[in-house]
PDB file of all heavy atoms in Angstrom:
ATOM      1  N   LYS W 934      34.636   9.177-199.313  1.00 46.00           N
ATOM      2  CA  LYS W 934      34.816   7.770-199.631  1.00 46.00           C
ATOM      3  C   LYS W 934      34.311   6.979-198.386  1.00 46.00           C
ATOM      4  O   LYS W 934      34.058   5.799-198.475  1.00 46.00           O
ATOM      5  CB  LYS W 934      36.308   7.433-199.812  1.00 46.00           C
ATOM      6  CG  LYS W 934      36.793   7.942-201.139  1.00 46.00           C
ATOM      7  CD  LYS W 934      38.248   7.593-201.396  1.00 46.00           C
ATOM      8  CE  LYS W 934      38.697   8.031-202.848  1.00 46.00           C
ATOM      9  NZ  LYS W 934      40.138   7.732-203.088  1.00 46.00           N
ATOM     10  N   ASP W 942      17.189   1.979-203.416  1.00 79.00           N
ATOM     11  CA  ASP W 942      16.981   1.119-202.260  1.00 79.00           C
ATOM     12  C   ASP W 942      15.686   0.443-202.309  1.00 79.00           C
ATOM     13  O   ASP W 942      14.611   0.966-202.125  1.00 79.00           O
ATOM     14  CB  ASP W 942      17.066   1.988-200.908  1.00 79.00           C
ATOM     15  CG  ASP W 942      17.273   1.234-199.663  1.00 79.00           C
ATOM     16  OD1 ASP W 942      16.779   0.026-199.618  1.00 79.00           O
ATOM     17  OD2 ASP W 942      17.841   1.712-198.796  1.00 79.00           O
ATOM     18  N   THR W 949      15.163  10.414-200.695  1.00 91.00           N
ATOM     19  CA  THR W 949      14.933  11.894-201.162  1.00 91.00           C
ATOM     20  C   THR W 949      15.989  12.849-200.512  1.00 91.00           C
ATOM     21  O   THR W 949      16.267  12.688-199.250  1.00 91.00           O
ATOM     22  CB  THR W 949      13.582  12.356-200.815  1.00 91.00           C
ATOM     23  OG1 THR W 949      12.574  11.481-201.374  1.00 91.00           O
ATOM     24  CG2 THR W 949      13.212  13.685-201.344  1.00 91.00           C
ATOM     25  N   ALA W 954      18.082  24.576-203.924  1.00 93.00           N
ATOM     26  CA  ALA W 954      18.126  24.446-205.407  1.00 93.00           C
ATOM     27  C   ALA W 954      17.275  23.354-206.088  1.00 93.00           C
ATOM     28  O   ALA W 954      17.005  23.548-207.275  1.00 93.00           O
ATOM     29  CB  ALA W 954      19.604  24.060-205.751  1.00 93.00           C
ATOM     30  N   ILE W 956      15.001  19.250-205.538  1.00 93.00           N
ATOM     31  CA  ILE W 956      14.711  18.045-204.818  1.00 93.00           C
ATOM     32  C   ILE W 956      15.029  16.816-205.713  1.00 93.00           C
ATOM     33  O   ILE W 956      14.834  16.859-206.915  1.00 93.00           O
ATOM     34  CB  ILE W 956      13.157  17.885-204.515  1.00 93.00           C
ATOM     35  CG1 ILE W 956      12.685  18.949-203.694  1.00 93.00           C
ATOM     36  CG2 ILE W 956      12.865  16.552-203.881  1.00 93.00           C
ATOM     37  CD1 ILE W 956      11.120  19.146-203.492  1.00 93.00           C
ATOM     38  N   VAL W 979      13.011   7.198-215.954  1.00 97.00           N
ATOM     39  CA  VAL W 979      12.844   5.730-215.650  1.00 97.00           C
ATOM     40  C   VAL W 979      14.200   5.042-216.017  1.00 97.00           C
ATOM     41  O   VAL W 979      14.591   5.116-217.140  1.00 97.00           O
ATOM     42  CB  VAL W 979      11.669   5.172-216.266  1.00 97.00           C
ATOM     43  CG1 VAL W 979      11.662   3.653-216.007  1.00 97.00           C
ATOM     44  CG2 VAL W 979      10.457   5.747-215.807  1.00 97.00           C
ATOM     45  N   GLU W 981      14.709   1.651-215.078  1.00 95.00           N
ATOM     46  CA  GLU W 981      14.262   0.240-215.215  1.00 95.00           C
ATOM     47  C   GLU W 981      12.697   0.159-215.204  1.00 95.00           C
ATOM     48  O   GLU W 981      12.097   0.707-214.247  1.00 95.00           O
ATOM     49  CB  GLU W 981      14.865  -0.776-214.191  1.00 95.00           C
ATOM     50  CG  GLU W 981      16.384  -0.962-214.442  1.00 95.00           C
ATOM     51  CD  GLU W 981      16.921  -1.982-213.442  1.00 95.00           C
ATOM     52  OE1 GLU W 981      16.133  -2.819-212.942  1.00 95.00           O
ATOM     53  OE2 GLU W 981      18.061  -1.880-212.993  1.00 95.00           O
ATOM     54  N   VAL W1003       7.997  18.159-217.179  1.00 92.00           N
ATOM     55  CA  VAL W1003       6.803  18.960-216.969  1.00 92.00           C
ATOM     56  C   VAL W1003       7.172  20.327-216.283  1.00 92.00           C
ATOM     57  O   VAL W1003       8.228  20.428-215.682  1.00 92.00           O
ATOM     58  CB  VAL W1003       5.859  18.155-216.038  1.00 92.00           C
ATOM     59  CG1 VAL W1003       5.385  16.937-216.703  1.00 92.00           C
ATOM     60  CG2 VAL W1003       6.470  17.857-214.757  1.00 92.00           C
ATOM     61  N   GLU W1006       2.146  24.364-212.241  1.00 81.00           N
ATOM     62  CA  GLU W1006       1.171  23.700-211.252  1.00 81.00           C
ATOM     63  C   GLU W1006       0.276  22.871-212.027  1.00 81.00           C
ATOM     64  O   GLU W1006      -0.619  23.396-212.738  1.00 81.00           O
ATOM     65  CB  GLU W1006       0.520  24.747-210.345  1.00 81.00           C
ATOM     66  CG  GLU W1006      -0.265  24.262-209.257  1.00 81.00           C
ATOM     67  CD  GLU W1006      -0.886  25.330-208.448  1.00 81.00           C
ATOM     68  OE1 GLU W1006      -0.353  26.447-208.498  1.00 81.00           O
ATOM     69  OE2 GLU W1006      -1.903  25.062-207.729  1.00 81.00           O
ATOM     70  N   MET W1022      14.216   8.201-211.285  1.00 95.00           N
ATOM     71  CA  MET W1022      14.637   9.412-210.683  1.00 95.00           C
ATOM     72  C   MET W1022      13.502  10.402-210.866  1.00 95.00           C
ATOM     73  O   MET W1022      12.933  10.568-211.916  1.00 95.00           O
ATOM     74  CB  MET W1022      15.839   9.962-211.128  1.00 95.00           C
ATOM     75  CG  MET W1022      17.031   9.064-211.255  1.00 95.00           C
ATOM     76  SD  MET W1022      18.416   9.882-212.000  1.00 95.00           S
ATOM     77  CE  MET W1022      19.314   8.459-212.526  1.00 95.00           C
ATOM     78  N   LEU W1030      16.468  28.913-209.221  1.00 92.00           N
ATOM     79  CA  LEU W1030      17.604  28.393-209.976  1.00 92.00           C
ATOM     80  C   LEU W1030      17.491  28.608-211.470  1.00 92.00           C
ATOM     81  O   LEU W1030      18.356  28.961-212.146  1.00 92.00           O
ATOM     82  CB  LEU W1030      18.023  27.018-209.565  1.00 92.00           C
ATOM     83  CG  LEU W1030      19.226  26.410-210.221  1.00 92.00           C
ATOM     84  CD1 LEU W1030      20.186  25.789-209.239  1.00 92.00           C
ATOM     85  CD2 LEU W1030      18.712  25.414-211.241  1.00 92.00           C
ATOM     86  N   GLN W1032      15.386  30.370-213.086  1.00 88.00           N
ATOM     87  CA  GLN W1032      15.128  31.786-213.603  1.00 88.00           C
ATOM     88  C   GLN W1032      16.603  32.434-213.780  1.00 88.00           C
ATOM     89  O   GLN W1032      16.878  33.218-214.732  1.00 88.00           O
ATOM     90  CB  GLN W1032      14.463  32.656-212.508  1.00 88.00           C
ATOM     91  CG  GLN W1032      13.011  32.348-212.486  1.00 88.00           C
ATOM     92  CD  GLN W1032      12.226  32.945-211.449  1.00 88.00           C
ATOM     93  OE1 GLN W1032      12.750  33.501-210.510  1.00 88.00           O
ATOM     94  NE2 GLN W1032      10.962  32.923-211.516  1.00 88.00           N
ATOM     95  N   ILE W1035      17.998  30.882-217.009  1.00 86.00           N
ATOM     96  CA  ILE W1035      17.333  31.609-218.123  1.00 86.00           C
ATOM     97  C   ILE W1035      17.786  32.988-218.461  1.00 86.00           C
ATOM     98  O   ILE W1035      18.135  33.380-219.531  1.00 86.00           O
ATOM     99  CB  ILE W1035      15.834  31.623-217.963  1.00 86.00           C
ATOM    100  CG1 ILE W1035      15.332  30.121-218.028  1.00 86.00           C
ATOM    101  CG2 ILE W1035      15.082  32.325-219.048  1.00 86.00           C
ATOM    102  CD1 ILE W1035      13.879  30.032-217.588  1.00 86.00           C
ATOM    103  N   LEU W1050      11.534  33.963-225.499  1.00 77.00           N
ATOM    104  CA  LEU W1050      12.069  32.697-224.949  1.00 77.00           C
ATOM    105  C   LEU W1050      11.995  32.714-223.397  1.00 77.00           C
ATOM    106  O   LEU W1050      11.705  31.682-222.860  1.00 77.00           O
ATOM    107  CB  LEU W1050      13.559  32.692-225.498  1.00 77.00           C
ATOM    108  CG  LEU W1050      14.443  31.605-224.806  1.00 77.00           C
ATOM    109  CD1 LEU W1050      13.687  30.261-225.391  1.00 77.00           C
ATOM    110  CD2 LEU W1050      15.849  31.633-225.285  1.00 77.00           C
ATOM    111  N   ASP W1057       1.869  28.560-220.618  1.00 80.00           N
ATOM    112  CA  ASP W1057       1.456  27.414-221.173  1.00 80.00           C
ATOM    113  C   ASP W1057       1.928  27.003-222.460  1.00 80.00           C
ATOM    114  O   ASP W1057       1.710  25.895-223.079  1.00 80.00           O
ATOM    115  CB  ASP W1057      -0.162  27.486-221.389  1.00 80.00           C
ATOM    116  CG  ASP W1057      -0.871  27.527-220.000  1.00 80.00           C
ATOM    117  OD1 ASP W1057      -0.368  27.025-219.101  1.00 80.00           O
ATOM    118  OD2 ASP W1057      -2.061  27.987-220.080  1.00 80.00           O
ATOM    119  N   LEU W1060       6.515  23.112-223.531  1.00 89.00           N
ATOM    120  CA  LEU W1060       6.189  21.852-224.091  1.00 89.00           C
ATOM    121  C   LEU W1060       6.411  20.749-222.987  1.00 89.00           C
ATOM    122  O   LEU W1060       7.492  20.427-222.692  1.00 89.00           O
ATOM    123  CB  LEU W1060       6.992  21.523-225.309  1.00 89.00           C
ATOM    124  CG  LEU W1060       6.532  20.185-225.955  1.00 89.00           C
ATOM    125  CD1 LEU W1060       5.224  20.340-226.672  1.00 89.00           C
ATOM    126  CD2 LEU W1060       7.684  19.693-226.838  1.00 89.00           C
ATOM    127  N   LYS W1063       7.404  13.748-223.374  1.00 94.00           N
ATOM    128  CA  LYS W1063       8.367  12.643-223.025  1.00 94.00           C
ATOM    129  C   LYS W1063       9.496  12.590-224.042  1.00 94.00           C
ATOM    130  O   LYS W1063       9.149  12.828-225.285  1.00 94.00           O
ATOM    131  CB  LYS W1063       7.549  11.378-223.165  1.00 94.00           C
ATOM    132  CG  LYS W1063       8.382  10.049-222.722  1.00 94.00           C
ATOM    133  CD  LYS W1063       7.550   8.756-222.890  1.00 94.00           C
ATOM    134  CE  LYS W1063       7.256   8.443-224.330  1.00 94.00           C
ATOM    135  NZ  LYS W1063       6.691   7.122-224.444  1.00 94.00           N
ATOM    136  N   SER W1084      27.311   2.764-210.513  1.00 91.00           N
ATOM    137  CA  SER W1084      28.605   2.449-210.033  1.00 91.00           C
ATOM    138  C   SER W1084      28.895   2.787-208.553  1.00 91.00           C
ATOM    139  O   SER W1084      30.067   2.652-208.041  1.00 91.00           O
ATOM    140  CB  SER W1084      29.644   3.189-210.905  1.00 91.00           C
ATOM    141  OG  SER W1084      29.508   2.882-212.216  1.00 91.00           O
ATOM    142  N   PHE W1096      25.077  20.610-209.062  1.00 96.00           N
ATOM    143  CA  PHE W1096      24.427  19.513-209.597  1.00 96.00           C
ATOM    144  C   PHE W1096      23.073  19.992-210.298  1.00 96.00           C
ATOM    145  O   PHE W1096      22.796  19.577-211.411  1.00 96.00           O
ATOM    146  CB  PHE W1096      24.112  18.527-208.442  1.00 96.00           C
ATOM    147  CG  PHE W1096      23.196  17.276-208.767  1.00 96.00           C
ATOM    148  CD1 PHE W1096      23.679  16.169-209.192  1.00 96.00           C
ATOM    149  CD2 PHE W1096      21.849  17.467-208.544  1.00 96.00           C
ATOM    150  CE1 PHE W1096      22.877  15.134-209.515  1.00 96.00           C
ATOM    151  CE2 PHE W1096      21.036  16.404-208.787  1.00 96.00           C
ATOM    152  CZ  PHE W1096      21.459  15.149-209.323  1.00 96.00           C
ATOM    153  N   GLN W1114      11.899  25.559-232.777  1.00 91.00           N
ATOM    154  CA  GLN W1114      11.093  24.827-233.681  1.00 91.00           C
ATOM    155  C   GLN W1114       9.695  24.950-233.686  1.00 91.00           C
ATOM    156  O   GLN W1114       8.961  24.869-234.589  1.00 91.00           O
ATOM    157  CB  GLN W1114      11.616  23.352-233.461  1.00 91.00           C
ATOM    158  CG  GLN W1114      13.039  23.015-233.780  1.00 91.00           C
ATOM    159  CD  GLN W1114      13.529  21.646-233.410  1.00 91.00           C
ATOM    160  OE1 GLN W1114      12.955  20.986-232.560  1.00 91.00           O
ATOM    161  NE2 GLN W1114      14.481  21.146-234.025  1.00 91.00           N
ATOM    162  N   ILE W1150       8.359   6.492-245.505  1.00 93.00           N
ATOM    163  CA  ILE W1150       7.827   7.727-244.916  1.00 93.00           C
ATOM    164  C   ILE W1150       6.360   7.504-244.455  1.00 93.00           C
ATOM    165  O   ILE W1150       5.890   7.923-243.402  1.00 93.00           O
ATOM    166  CB  ILE W1150       7.978   8.932-245.838  1.00 93.00           C
ATOM    167  CG1 ILE W1150       9.334   9.147-246.249  1.00 93.00           C
ATOM    168  CG2 ILE W1150       7.395  10.349-245.121  1.00 93.00           C
ATOM    169  CD1 ILE W1150      10.407   9.327-245.169  1.00 93.00           C
ATOM    170  N   ILE W1153       6.309   5.719-241.139  1.00 96.00           N
ATOM    171  CA  ILE W1153       6.689   6.669-239.955  1.00 96.00           C
ATOM    172  C   ILE W1153       5.433   7.626-239.734  1.00 96.00           C
ATOM    173  O   ILE W1153       5.257   7.829-238.653  1.00 96.00           O
ATOM    174  CB  ILE W1153       7.975   7.499-240.421  1.00 96.00           C
ATOM    175  CG1 ILE W1153       9.139   6.578-240.642  1.00 96.00           C
ATOM    176  CG2 ILE W1153       8.283   8.430-239.315  1.00 96.00           C
ATOM    177  CD1 ILE W1153      10.277   7.212-241.318  1.00 96.00           C
ATOM    178  N   GLN W1178      16.189  13.035-245.905  1.00 95.00           N
ATOM    179  CA  GLN W1178      17.540  13.687-245.743  1.00 95.00           C
ATOM    180  C   GLN W1178      17.999  13.349-244.188  1.00 95.00           C
ATOM    181  O   GLN W1178      19.151  13.153-244.013  1.00 95.00           O
ATOM    182  CB  GLN W1178      17.462  15.186-245.969  1.00 95.00           C
ATOM    183  CG  GLN W1178      17.372  15.604-247.369  1.00 95.00           C
ATOM    184  CD  GLN W1178      16.986  17.075-247.562  1.00 95.00           C
ATOM    185  OE1 GLN W1178      16.366  17.692-246.719  1.00 95.00           O
ATOM    186  NE2 GLN W1178      17.414  17.559-248.667  1.00 95.00           N
ATOM    187  N   ARG W1190      31.447   6.843-237.982  1.00 91.00           N
ATOM    188  CA  ARG W1190      31.829   6.309-236.672  1.00 91.00           C
ATOM    189  C   ARG W1190      32.454   4.905-236.856  1.00 91.00           C
ATOM    190  O   ARG W1190      33.520   4.606-236.275  1.00 91.00           O
ATOM    191  CB  ARG W1190      30.799   6.326-235.668  1.00 91.00           C
ATOM    192  CG  ARG W1190      30.201   7.656-235.148  1.00 91.00           C
ATOM    193  CD  ARG W1190      29.406   7.515-233.982  1.00 91.00           C
ATOM    194  NE  ARG W1190      28.211   6.795-234.164  1.00 91.00           N
ATOM    195  CZ  ARG W1190      26.958   7.340-234.611  1.00 91.00           C
ATOM    196  NH1 ARG W1190      26.935   8.615-234.833  1.00 91.00           N
ATOM    197  NH2 ARG W1190      25.882   6.493-234.759  1.00 91.00           N
ATOM    198  N   GLY W1206      22.455   0.348-243.792  1.00 91.00           N
ATOM    199  CA  GLY W1206      21.137   0.363-244.457  1.00 91.00           C
ATOM    200  C   GLY W1206      21.269   0.840-245.919  1.00 91.00           C
ATOM    201  O   GLY W1206      20.171   1.025-246.611  1.00 91.00           O
ATOM    202  N   HIS W1235      46.408   6.129-239.370  1.00 57.00           N
ATOM    203  CA  HIS W1235      46.471   6.623-238.006  1.00 57.00           C
ATOM    204  C   HIS W1235      46.536   5.743-236.877  1.00 57.00           C
ATOM    205  O   HIS W1235      47.284   5.907-235.871  1.00 57.00           O
ATOM    206  CB  HIS W1235      45.156   7.475-237.729  1.00 57.00           C
ATOM    207  CG  HIS W1235      45.154   8.821-238.565  1.00 57.00           C
ATOM    208  ND1 HIS W1235      44.101   9.614-238.597  1.00 57.00           N
ATOM    209  CD2 HIS W1235      46.090   9.447-239.187  1.00 57.00           C
ATOM    210  CE1 HIS W1235      44.325  10.668-239.325  1.00 57.00           C
ATOM    211  NE2 HIS W1235      45.539  10.647-239.662  1.00 57.00           N
ATOM    212  N   ALA W1237      48.095   2.686-237.305  1.00 50.00           N
ATOM    213  CA  ALA W1237      49.233   1.906-237.458  1.00 50.00           C
ATOM    214  C   ALA W1237      50.342   2.312-236.573  1.00 50.00           C
ATOM    215  O   ALA W1237      50.437   3.624-236.261  1.00 50.00           O
ATOM    216  CB  ALA W1237      49.631   1.990-238.999  1.00 50.00           C
TER     217      ALA W1237
END
Side-chain angles (χ1 to χ4, degrees):
K934 290 183 179 178
D942 193 330
T949 303
I956 301 172
V979 177
E981 290 183 27
V1003 298
E1006 185 176 340
M1022 306 178 201
L1030 180 134
Q1032 285 172 353
I1035 291 172
L1050 173 61
D1057 289 338
L1060 185 75
K1063 181 181 76 171
S1084 302
F1096 170 87
Q1114 290 175 337
I1150 306 305
I1153 300 167
Q1178 289 170 332
R1190 292 193 299 270
H1235 283 173

